[in-house]
Structures are given as structure tokens and as C-alpha cells.
Amino acid sequence: MPLLKVFYEDWQMECCGTPFAVGDEVAWKLVAYGAGARRENTGYGAEAWVENHGGPDRPTAGRVHAVDLVREEYRCHLPDPVPEGEGEGVVVLRGTGRGLEPVPGTVTLEPADGCPRWFEEVDRGTVDGLGRVRRTRGALVTLDAPDTAHLLRP
């Protein structure tokens, strides 16, 4: 069977996915990278991604041959602390977004027996005044897929 590299993004799994393991039979709606749909990520070497919110009319069926969890480190600006004595009786509005920015060269692929439903984020402390977190971005799956002719391709 032909092997197909597929990226299953963390948010797609956490929203609407079903965890799977090596050896499982799966049927996913897949879209080929570059098939007229823009993605924020690069797919980490995948040829297609899982699309739980649209995609082709029919799913691609196959057996999970291997799973690598994709982890990446990010830096972010830490919120400014409220100075002592300030804020008493006063409403102080501060931005809540962290503005995560990938740290070049920190992507790792870690072999796993399967894909979890929920992905982890680990606080790595502070480096040069910026916060650091390590996030699991999703799973890079090697899929034994006999029929991929219906995939949306560029």
C-alpha cells in the first residue's frame, strides 16, 4: 500500500476528532497541501491535512502505520505586572493575548503509539525577558492509504 504523510492539527483533533493509535483503521477527509487552501503551518513534511470542517465529499480510508507528535517552542511577551498600590479602586485594562511566536529550530517529531484527544502545553519559564512555552501542535501520521485519487490536489 502507498504511504501518505498526513498532519492532524491539534485544534482539529480537540474540536471534532477521535483519538487513534498505530494499527487503527481510520477514515478522514483529507486535503492536499497547496490544493487552493492556505494553511498557517507547513504540515511538517505532510502531503495532506485532516479537514474536519469541510474538505472533499468522501473520506480517505487507511491504516495508521506510524504517529509522530509535533512539538514546537514559542516565545511570548509576559503581561506587565500591576505596580504595588496601583489598581485599588481603579480598573486597569490589559491585553490578554500572549502573541505566541515560534522559536526557529525548535520543532521536534516524537514517535508515539497514538494520538491523544487533548494536546499539552508546557511552561518553559523565561528566556531573555520573554516567556517560553512548548506546545504539541498535532500529529504527523503515516497512513497506509490504498485510494487517494479523490484528494483535493494543487
Side-chain angles (χ1 to χ4, degrees):
M1 269 188 215
L3 297 178
L4 179 68
K5 290 281 190 179
V6 175
F7 185 53
Y8 207 130
E9 292 175 88
D10 55 349
W11 72 271
Q12 292 269 12
M13 173 57 73
E14 290 177 353
C15 171
C16 307
T18 301
F20 56 88
V22 173
D24 286 355
E25 288 284 336
V26 297
W28 297 327
K29 289 186 175 186
L30 300 179
V31 178
Y33 276 94
R38 298 178 59 82
R39 304 305 286 173
E40 287 182 21
N41 61 62
T42 60
Y44 307 99
E47 300 162 78
W49 79 85
V50 176
E51 181 52 79
N52 290 329
H53 304 91
D57 292 336
R58 69 179 198 148
T60 299
R63 181 176 300 277
V64 177
H65 181 73
V67 176
D68 289 300
L69 296 179
V70 179
R71 295 197 167 105
E72 187 167 10
E73 193 162 312
Y74 292 82
R75 60 182 153 239
C76 59
H77 292 280
L78 300 172
D80 294 329
V82 176
E84 278 190 51
E86 191 177 307
E88 294 177 29
V90 176
V91 176
V92 178
L93 300 176
R94 300 189 184 278
T96 58
R98 294 182 296 171
L100 295 178
E101 181 182 313
V103 175
T106 62
V107 173
T108 60
L109 301 178
E110 300 174 18
D113 294 329
C115 180
R117 171 81 164 128
W118 305 104
F119 293 84
E120 69 181 357
E121 180 175 296
V122 177
D123 185 348
R124 304 284 289 205
T126 304
V127 176
D128 297 329
L130 295 174
R132 291 279 181 110
V133 294
R134 184 143 184 91
R135 297 184 65 207
T136 305
R137 298 284 296 138
L140 183 61
V141 181
T142 303
L143 191 63
D144 288 331
D147 180 14
T148 60
H150 60 284
L151 278 180
L152 296 178
R153 297 197 185 273

